[in-house]
Amino acid sequence: MKRRVLCTRDALPGGGLVRLASRADADVVRWTGTGKPEPAELAELAGRSGGVSAILALGNDRIDAGLLDAAGPGLRVVSLASMGFDGVDQRAAAERGVVVTHTPGVLAETTADLAFALILAARRGLGAARDSLRSGAWDVFRMEDYLGLDVHGAPLGLIGFGQIGQAVARRATGFGMRLLYHDPFGPAVDGLAAAVGLKRLLAESDIVSLHVPLTDATRHLIGPAEMRAMKPTATLVNTSRGEVVDEAALLRALTEGAIASAGLDVYEREPRGADVADLAGCPGLFALPHIGSATHATRAAMVDLAVDNVLDVLGGRPARTPVPGTNAVPA
């Protein structure tokens, strides 16, 4: 019997989606529109297809109760090609007995590479220096030009100490950095970093890097009060979720010199399109378009794992990587 799988994109990196579509027991229904699909558009497609057994989605897709209902009573799994899972109404999924999965592990090292690139770029002011060269403004060597702040030996505070936070910490040891972390739910890691309270981490760190999921408890975790608690020479880096930071407060803190710099890969509004004037005009900000996991190998591995989760659940086996705190098999 063929099971219908709704994929929220027409194509995905690597061979995972092709592998799924080539199976005799799978019928892949693809959303072929442009841009990001709205839940109502996906719901209409699912309903038109007579319901689906699985939804294969990206981390920034919204999977709400209406879409879950439109998928029909045969829906067994929502499989995300993403480590983050805040776009899914997890309560609604649980009420309908639907498993929600994500893709931890396969993207941690790649995202840690990007986080450290942001640390270096923001700390050393590489964006402004690059723009100066491109505009032709670099016309003479002056000792006082393009002065940044050191990374080697600096205290690095990691908020969230899961797979990505620990991967960043391992890279930081090569720079001789003093490592602090704050994670009430994270494991103790002897010898890698010192566990401290959030207040102490903000006060002592030259660089603060965020590695937490977006939840009600972490939304605007870093707001005006937290930025005031940081050093005026501090750098804030965010590769987790944009809403973990009060973005307006951060841009204000940079403009007013309350902190020295920031490196962002995620934002409260994504994608930004042409709405980037506030970012482009902000001093000390080095910004990228949510590319933390964007390598050929990592994105392909994410899709492969997401497909494996679909096949496992539809095959009556536990999901390989269910979202923490949720069921690995349909209720």
Side-chain angles (χ1 to χ4, degrees), residues 86 192 233 279:
D86 48 277
L192 188 57
T233 54
L279 303 180

Side-chain angles (χ1 to χ4, degrees), residues 114-115 117-123 125-128 130-131 134 235-239 247 250-251 254 261-270 272-273 275-292:
L114 193 280
L118 283 174
I119 289 171
L120 291 166
R123 195 82 179 142
L126 301 188
R130 173 205 57 202
D131 293 345
R134 287 180 173 177
T235 298
L236 179 67
V237 170
N238 189 12
T239 54
E247 193 172 296
L250 172 61
L251 299 182
L254 289 168
S261 58
L264 300 181
D265 188 44
V266 291
Y267 309 89
E268 291 195 275
R269 304 186 309 282
E270 294 187 13
R272 294 297 290 261
D275 181 24
V276 292
D278 54 345
L279 303 180
C282 187
L285 176 63
F286 189 92
L288 295 173
H290 202 152
I291 60 170

